[in-house]
Amino acid sequence: MAEVKTIKGIDDASWSEFKSLAAQHKKNMGEFFGDLLAAYKAREVRRFWDDILTIEHRLSKEAADEIRKTVATLRKEDGFRETLWH
């Protein structure tokens, strides 16, 4: 049998609900706890990428286009390859 661990601060109602949910999913409490951790990690990763990918644009489209034109000109003058922004 695995080593017994203690989780402090769980009231009887929460513990009972946790046991009930584990039984409903036909898992022992250790397996169910592992599943909860995996789901939490996946949600946090999704939340992280959602925050990154849905960031508010700081530049207007016109300002961004002007910067792209300037960078393209500088790269052309200094002998670098053309940019991919065309």
Side-chain angles (χ1 to χ4, degrees):
M1 186 166 145
E3 183 179 340
V4 174
K5 303 288 184 189
T6 301
I7 303 173
K8 295 180 181 180
I10 298 177
D11 59 66
D12 289 339
S14 297
W15 183 250
S16 179
E17 186 175 356
F18 181 75
K19 285 173 50 175
S20 175
L21 286 170
Q24 287 173 14
H25 287 88
K26 296 180 175 41
K27 296 185 180 224
N28 67 40
M29 291 177 21
E31 292 170 334
F32 189 64
F33 186 74
D35 289 351
L36 289 176
L37 286 177
Y40 178 80
K41 286 180 187 179
R43 187 183 76 212
E44 289 302 305
V45 168
R46 272 194 313 277
R47 183 180 298 163
F48 170 78
W49 283 110
D50 286 347
D51 288 348
I52 297 273
L53 298 174
T54 58
I55 193 166
E56 180 182 328
H57 295 288
R58 306 263 187 234
L59 295 174
S60 67
K61 181 165 175 22
E62 294 78 22
D65 288 341
E66 187 62 35
I67 291 171
R68 286 187 182 112
K69 288 176 190 173
T70 303
V71 169
T73 302
L74 291 172
R75 289 179 65 89
K76 205 178 276 187
E77 289 174 0
D78 291 335
F80 290 97
R81 61 179 162 69
E82 298 259 343
T83 65
L84 302 174
W85 296 324
H86 293 122

